[in-house]
Amino acid sequence: MKMFEPLNVGTMVIPNRIMVPAMVTRLSGEDGFVNQDIIDRYVRYAQGGVGLIVVEAMAVHHAKSGPLLRISDDKFIPGLADLARRIHDTSASRVVPQIIHFLKIAKSGWRQTVDMLAREDIEQIVEQFGDAVARARAAGFDGAELHSAHAYTLASFMSRTNPRKDDYGGDTLEGRLRLIGRIMENIRRKAGDDFPVGVRYNADEFIRGGYTVTDAKAIGLRLAEIGAAYLSLSVGGKFEDAVHSPGQVPYPYTGYSGDRCMPGDWYPPVTHAHYGAEIKAYVRARGHRTPVAATGKISEPDDAERLVASGEVDIVGIARGLLADPDWPNKVRAGERDRIIRCDYCNVCKHLDGTHMRVICTLWPQGSLQAPPDDRATAAPQWASAAAGLAATVQNGSILLKWSKAPGAARYDIHRCDDLGNVSFVDAVKVTRWEDKDVLGGRRYRYYVRAYAATGAGGAPSNTVSVDLPAPSYLPRVSAAETAAP
Amino acid sequence: MKMFEPLNVGTMVIPNRIMVPAMVTRLSGEDGFVNQDIIDRYVRYAQGGVGLIVVEAMAVHHAKSGPLLRISDDKFIPGLADLARRIHDTSASRVVPQIIHFLKIAKSGWRQTVDMLAREDIEQIVEQFGDAVARARAAGFDGAELHSAHAYTLASFMSRTNPRKDDYGGDTLEGRLRLIGRIMENIRRKAGDDFPVGVRYNADEFIRGGYTVTDAKAIGLRLAEIGAAYLSLSVGGKFEDAVHSPGQVPYPYTGYSGDRCMPGDWYPPVTHAHYGAEIKAYVRARGHRTPVAATGKISEPDDAERLVASGEVDIVGIARGLLADPDWPNKVRAGERDRIIRCDYCNVCKHLDGTHMRVICTLWPQGSLQAPPDDRATAAPQWASAAAGLAATVQNGSILLKWSKAPGAARYDIHRCDDLGNVSFVDAVKVTRWEDKDVLGGRRYRYYVRAYAATGAGGAPSNTVSVDLPAPSYLPRVSAAETAAP
């Protein structure tokens, strides 16, 4: 499969085109140092065979925040070097840290905005990014990534809502791009022009007055021109529409733009990859071959392969899907898709991040701080246990499924066959009941359930239940549309 | 061209596939009666040759509001009948009224929500819609359209945020669809099942927790099943994210969902038509041939034709483009695209609507309440006047254009040729200067300007100016990406 072919990313070669984008783990302390939990988390991705690991955002400065890694002083280099070394010792996965600057924010809801920065502050930020990337190189990372997405300083300069009146804003695209340009220039000087530095930025801000893909294409071109090793696309995640809970520091993923940033189960799969395709085409047409990475509810192997094989984008970023199962790459490559622990986009991980709690996946065994080890080598390929006695009850507007507990089951995957016969994975649960609230009366639905052990080994499918949902009384016997001539 | 072929829409035949969607004019009084200004506005669309005219929303009830048409009593029928007759006397355009129910809202920001409605209130709404559509038929309209989009009652029931706990909500899709189902059933009873009733609804709510195209596909299927004559898609326009100005009634187009609903000049063209294609494919795959109309920054003839000829959608809805130039259909059909008065998506019309002022287009002659008459029959095909002396000044991050006034010019269209040689219309202005703030240093841009008389007749293009915008100092001489091997 194309996604398992290596790819040149600047001077780095990633062994395959699957990326785990930066995800905050909240495993670090407030001291900013790498600890064993952090190492375990990222080594686990390396074990799973992902091509590129982007380590969660680490700050270029010392500003107060919750649990967060730092790269703001040479004292952090040994810990970071240990992290990089441990990953390199594990597999061929390449690893880069995501590097961030953020502005001040208070529990009152007050937040510093880019127009409050003096020009000296901007010069300091330029230097801080250069120093941070030099430290990333010293620590043995394969490259670095600048966080210019969501609610943070670089993104706020790029934003169409940038309120500065000087040449770092001034209501012009060129002004909004000046800071990232100066930073990349300084990074070349301080870390060398052969060290691959990618940029993550928003393809669409998804806020009132925010920029759309129209600007994102031009931004992508400029990033290619200033030597970005890759473009990693995200969307939304802004403070402008964040919901402020009194007494809490605003969290930029609580508003609509936060919904878009980490789209939940009510969003279609592969929600935002079309932006990547549009941006890549625009940048390519102007002579740049900078690889483009797309993210956003990509987790079905067929979707990932299609995106890469068609050339729409070069890299697929899988965040929550790899949190649920770091072995996704190895399992797909080995033809063991049925063993994947599939993310159901319940977004408990997002909630844990927002409340500064250690980020885990609810599909992991109870109490685990890390994904369980892949036991392919030792476990029987087929686990014996199966959910049985699946039965459906029609409720008012929904279908309730219940089944018997399978001995030793850690979770159950629910599969639905729709009215056209398309089977899809619709949810994963730890209990033995599930309600389908998204069905239409007058149609037939079929379901089966599979039990999975904590190791990922799956049992046989349960019996299948078929439900003919009664049509609501107001439905015409034969609709006008069906009787109309073509 | 395919867009000029007739189309069966229920029992109605529309002469071509161009629709003017409902746009509030604020030309009516608070009394709700049709007046001469209203008639003039819609007859003007009929003169322009559009296939389907959707008359602005008229209320099924008497609830207090700003200037708004009413269809809530038989006393409104004579005025509505006069409007329908005048349109039919003008051209083959078909005409349907958009029919709306809205909940109470106060200047304090308080608003009634669907969970505050008693079941008797719901029964009353069901009856009111049936009576209103019966009146539309009695008035001689060719059909009717239910307003189930944006911030209004039917959309709020359909919404994923519907908070009702009973069978008109209950957190199930079926519950959310119950009101529209019962209304359509009652309409069939009161207005006959051969009277075409389309439904306008949101393809995406664009609010936190709102529904996405996933639900919109299922909603479209149900609407087809209950006999909707067509599906007209919009997006956003919700109260949930509206910006409340103290002392003013909230306006549901002031938040991010309002940006999406009437996307401004910073949005890409044809912003939302892909939703229409997805919904149409879903409904067709299940045996329904219900025509689907897409809207949202469709105004280039090639875009409109592509959407219809490819079958992605069946009807193109052009709102602001037809407000700017109601003769768009006739001009495109006659091969006179250069005479189109092109909407530049400045959204002054949206602002006028929001402040309850009479909605006009700023590209019309000063002081006009209606688009100027099409003078194709009398005016010289080429108007003599031309803008001249076009000159460009490079500013900090932008390009300033100035030119000499063309005698008698009503407006100037600015055309830009980008770095790849693609020419596009970028703005329309009434003054003789324009600033391009969306340019990238290090690239070449060319511009020309055309002056237009108030009649729409255009002068010769001005001289062309070519600008080599200096690259910012931080740009590397040769970027890494350009030197990389493929």
Side-chain angles (χ1 to χ4, degrees):
Chain A
M1 285 192 286
K2 183 79 174 175
M3 72 173 137
F4 291 109
E5 294 178 11
L7 179 73
N8 291 307
V9 176
T11 55
M12 155 174 73
V13 180
I14 59 174
N16 62 59
R17 291 135 196 255
I18 307 159
M19 171 178 86
V20 54
M23 274 182 286
V24 174
T25 61
R26 304 291 183 195
L27 293 175
S28 78
E30 305 246 349
D31 61 4
F33 285 97
V34 168
N35 59 29
Q36 191 58 45
D37 290 337
I38 297 270
I39 289 174
D40 291 347
R41 177 67 54 95
Y42 290 99
V43 164
R44 190 67 192 79
Y45 291 121
Q47 289 168 343
V50 71
L52 180 61
I53 297 169
V54 185
V55 176
E56 64 195 278
M58 46 191 77
V60 301
H61 59 334
H62 301 282
K64 194 170 174 306
S65 85
L68 187 77
L69 290 178
R70 306 278 171 170
I71 194 167
S72 50
D73 191 285
D74 288 351
K75 71 182 178 189
F76 296 108
I77 294 177
L80 293 167
D82 192 31
L83 173 61
R85 191 181 319 112
R86 292 287 303 278
I87 290 168
H88 288 149
D89 287 348
T90 302
S91 77
S93 300
R94 300 293 87 189
V95 57
V96 302
Q98 188 181 61
I99 293 180
I100 191 172
H101 187 278
F102 50 87
L103 297 175
K104 293 174 192 155
I105 188 154
K107 288 183 177 170
S108 66
W110 174 88
R111 64 184 175 90
Q112 190 182 22
T113 49
V114 298
D115 52 325
M116 300 177 193
L117 294 175
R119 292 183 76 91
E120 307 83 75
D121 299 328
I122 291 177
E123 292 305 319
Q124 189 180 27
I125 293 169
V126 170
E127 296 307 324
Q128 285 168 331
F129 270 100
D131 293 338
V133 174
R135 285 183 200 112
R137 183 165 202 164
F141 286 108
D142 301 296
E145 175 180 294
L146 307 188
H147 194 344
S148 190
H150 310 164
Y152 308 108
T153 310
L154 300 189
S156 301
F157 273 88
M158 266 184 193
S159 175
R160 198 165 168 277
T161 66
N162 173 339
R164 289 186 71 94
K165 301 294 178 205
D166 65 357
D167 55 353
Y168 286 96
D171 209 17
T172 69
L173 182 60
E174 195 59 74
R176 290 154 45 198
L177 287 165
R178 185 166 159 77
L179 177 59
I180 191 91
R182 291 216 40 230
I183 284 173
M184 286 292 279
E185 178 190 40
N186 191 44
I187 288 171
R188 286 194 300 275
R189 189 161 49 230
K190 287 191 162 166
D193 62 3
D194 59 340
F195 190 62
V197 179
V199 180
R200 185 155 220 219
Y201 77 105
N202 277 350
D204 193 312
E205 296 194 86
F206 282 109
I207 53 168
R208 189 164 71 105
Y211 74 71
T212 69
V213 70
T214 300
D215 279 2
K217 291 189 290 189
I219 294 170
L221 175 59
R222 169 55 55 83
L223 293 174
E225 288 174 336
I226 60 180
Y230 64 86
L231 308 178
S232 174
L233 299 170
S234 188
V235 300
K238 307 294 286 181
F239 278 126
E240 281 77 357
D241 65 353
V243 178
H244 183 222
S245 305
Q248 300 206 356
V249 173
Y251 177 65
Y253 306 99
T254 44
Y256 177 69
S257 70
D259 271 11
R260 296 297 304 214
C261 187
M262 287 173 262
D265 55 13
W266 67 100
Y267 277 84
V270 199
T271 312
H272 298 118
H274 61 287
Y275 291 126
E278 208 174 329
I279 291 165
K280 177 179 166 180
Y282 184 90
V283 173
R284 285 270 164 141
R286 284 154 180 84
H288 293 272
R289 303 188 61 82
T290 316
V292 173
T295 58
K297 285 195 76 170
I298 303 170
S299 64
E300 288 296 324
D302 287 344
D303 289 333
E305 176 63 12
R306 178 179 47 75
L307 288 170
V308 172
S310 66
E312 285 175 71
V313 297
D314 303 288
I315 301 169
V316 284
I318 305 178
R320 291 169 291 177
L322 286 177
L323 183 72
D325 191 348
D327 297 315
W328 190 100
N330 283 342
K331 288 175 179 174
V332 173
R333 196 201 305 248
E336 298 180 352
R337 296 184 185 196
D338 61 316
R339 299 182 73 251
I340 292 171
I341 298 170
R342 303 221 249 186
C343 175
D344 61 353
Y345 299 101
C346 72
N347 268 344
V348 167
C349 52
K350 176 181 177 179
H351 180 74
L352 293 169
D353 173 18
T355 51
H356 291 196
M357 295 173 71
R358 294 185 296 183
V359 174
I360 54 99
C361 175
T362 57
L363 298 175
W364 296 348
Q366 199 81 34
S368 299
L369 202 59
Q370 307 292 350
D374 182 8
D375 64 347
R376 280 189 303 162
T378 56
Q382 182 77 357
W383 177 58
S385 205
L390 178 65
T393 320
V394 172
Q395 310 209 116
N396 192 5
S398 70
I399 296 172
L400 178 64
L401 302 179
K402 291 184 183 178
W403 57 92
S404 309
K405 197 169 177 349
R411 73 176 209 282
Y412 304 89
D413 279 7
I414 293 121
H415 295 262
R416 179 172 72 184
C417 179
D418 75 6
D419 53 341
L420 291 192
N422 304 309
V423 180
S424 55
F425 161 75
V426 289
D427 208 353
V429 294
K430 292 190 165 186
V431 293
T432 55
R433 53 180 289 152
W434 185 76
E435 189 178 351
D436 194 346
K437 297 179 169 188
D438 295 316
V439 284
L440 283 181
R443 308 217 144 238
R444 170 175 299 178
Y445 297 90
R446 290 203 301 276
Y447 303 87
Y448 69 87
V449 170
R450 279 192 78 187
Y452 284 80
T455 59
S462 72
N463 60 303
T464 296
V465 287
S466 185
V467 184
D468 286 303
L469 207 54
S473 60
Y474 57 74
L475 216 64
R477 296 268 289 275
V478 178
S479 82
E482 279 174 327
T483 55
Chain B
M1 285 191 288
K2 184 79 175 177
M3 72 173 137
F4 291 109
E5 293 179 11
L7 180 73
N8 291 308
V9 176
T11 56
M12 155 173 76
V13 180
I14 59 173
N16 62 58
R17 290 136 195 255
I18 306 159
M19 171 178 88
V20 54
M23 275 182 284
V24 173
T25 62
R26 304 290 183 196
L27 293 174
S28 77
E30 306 247 348
D31 62 5
F33 284 98
V34 168
N35 60 27
Q36 191 58 44
D37 291 336
I38 297 271
I39 290 174
D40 291 347
R41 176 66 56 95
Y42 290 99
V43 164
R44 189 67 191 80
Y45 291 122
Q47 289 167 343
V50 72
L52 179 62
I53 297 169
V54 184
V55 177
E56 63 196 277
M58 46 191 76
V60 301
H61 59 334
H62 301 283
K64 193 171 173 306
S65 86
L68 187 77
L69 290 177
R70 305 277 171 171
I71 193 166
S72 50
D73 190 286
D74 288 351
K75 72 183 179 189
F76 296 109
I77 294 177
L80 293 168
D82 192 31
L83 173 61
R85 191 182 317 114
R86 293 286 305 279
I87 290 168
H88 289 148
D89 286 349
T90 302
S91 76
S93 300
R94 301 292 86 190
V95 56
V96 302
Q98 188 181 60
I99 293 179
I100 191 173
H101 186 279
F102 50 88
L103 297 175
K104 292 174 193 158
I105 189 155
K107 288 183 179 172
S108 66
W110 174 88
R111 64 185 175 88
Q112 190 181 24
T113 49
V114 298
D115 52 325
M116 300 177 192
L117 294 175
R119 292 183 76 93
E120 308 84 75
D121 298 328
I122 291 177
E123 292 304 319
Q124 188 180 26
I125 292 169
V126 170
E127 296 306 323
Q128 284 169 332
F129 270 101
D131 293 338
V133 174
R135 285 183 199 111
R137 183 165 202 165
F141 286 107
D142 301 295
E145 175 179 296
L146 307 188
H147 194 344
S148 189
H150 309 165
Y152 309 108
T153 311
L154 300 189
S156 301
F157 273 88
M158 266 184 193
S159 175
R160 198 165 168 278
T161 66
N162 174 340
R164 290 186 69 94
K165 302 292 178 206
D166 65 357
D167 56 352
Y168 286 96
D171 209 18
T172 69
L173 183 60
E174 195 58 76
R176 289 153 47 197
L177 287 165
R178 185 166 156 78
L179 177 59
I180 191 93
R182 291 216 41 230
I183 285 173
M184 286 293 279
E185 178 190 39
N186 191 43
I187 288 171
R188 286 195 300 275
R189 188 161 52 229
K190 285 191 162 165
D193 62 4
D194 59 339
F195 190 61
V197 179
V199 179
R200 186 155 219 220
Y201 77 105
N202 277 349
D204 192 313
E205 296 193 87
F206 281 109
I207 52 169
R208 190 163 71 105
Y211 73 71
T212 70
V213 70
T214 300
D215 279 3
K217 290 189 290 189
I219 294 170
L221 174 59
R222 170 55 55 84
L223 293 173
E225 288 174 336
I226 60 180
Y230 64 87
L231 308 178
S232 174
L233 299 170
S234 189
V235 300
K238 307 293 287 182
F239 279 125
E240 280 78 357
D241 65 352
V243 178
H244 183 222
S245 305
Q248 299 206 0
V249 173
Y251 176 65
Y253 306 100
T254 44
Y256 177 68
S257 70
D259 271 11
R260 296 297 306 213
C261 188
M262 287 173 262
D265 54 15
W266 68 99
Y267 277 84
V270 199
T271 312
H272 298 118
H274 60 287
Y275 291 125
E278 209 174 329
I279 291 165
K280 178 178 166 181
Y282 185 89
V283 174
R284 285 269 165 141
R286 285 155 179 83
H288 293 272
R289 304 189 60 81
T290 316
V292 173
T295 57
K297 285 196 75 171
I298 304 170
S299 63
E300 288 296 323
D302 287 343
D303 290 333
E305 176 63 12
R306 178 179 49 74
L307 288 170
V308 172
S310 66
E312 286 175 70
V313 298
D314 303 288
I315 301 169
V316 283
I318 304 177
R320 290 168 292 176
L322 287 176
L323 183 73
D325 191 348
D327 298 313
W328 190 100
N330 283 342
K331 287 176 179 173
V332 173
R333 195 200 308 248
E336 297 180 352
R337 296 182 185 197
D338 63 315
R339 299 183 74 251
I340 292 170
I341 299 170
R342 302 220 250 187
C343 174
D344 61 354
Y345 298 102
C346 71
N347 267 345
V348 167
C349 53
K350 176 182 177 179
H351 180 75
L352 293 169
D353 173 18
T355 51
H356 291 196
M357 295 174 71
R358 295 184 297 183
V359 175
I360 53 100
C361 176
T362 57
L363 298 175
W364 296 348
Q366 199 80 36
S368 298
L369 202 59
Q370 306 293 350
D374 182 7
D375 64 348
R376 280 190 302 162
T378 56
Q382 182 76 356
W383 177 56
S385 206
L390 178 64
T393 318
V394 173
Q395 311 210 114
N396 192 5
S398 70
I399 296 172
L400 179 64
L401 302 179
K402 291 184 182 179
W403 58 90
S404 309
K405 196 172 178 348
R411 76 177 207 282
Y412 303 91
D413 279 6
I414 293 122
H415 296 261
R416 180 172 70 185
C417 179
D418 74 6
D419 53 340
L420 291 192
N422 304 309
V423 180
S424 56
F425 161 75
V426 287
D427 208 353
V429 295
K430 291 190 166 185
V431 292
T432 56
R433 52 180 288 152
W434 185 75
E435 189 177 351
D436 194 346
K437 298 179 169 186
D438 296 317
V439 284
L440 284 181
R443 309 218 144 238
R444 173 175 296 179
Y445 297 90
R446 291 203 300 278
Y447 302 87
Y448 68 87
V449 169
R450 280 190 76 186
Y452 284 80
T455 58
S462 72
N463 60 304
T464 297
V465 287
S466 185
V467 184
D468 287 303
L469 207 55
S473 59
Y474 57 74
L475 217 64
R477 295 269 289 275
V478 178
S479 82
E482 279 174 327
T483 56

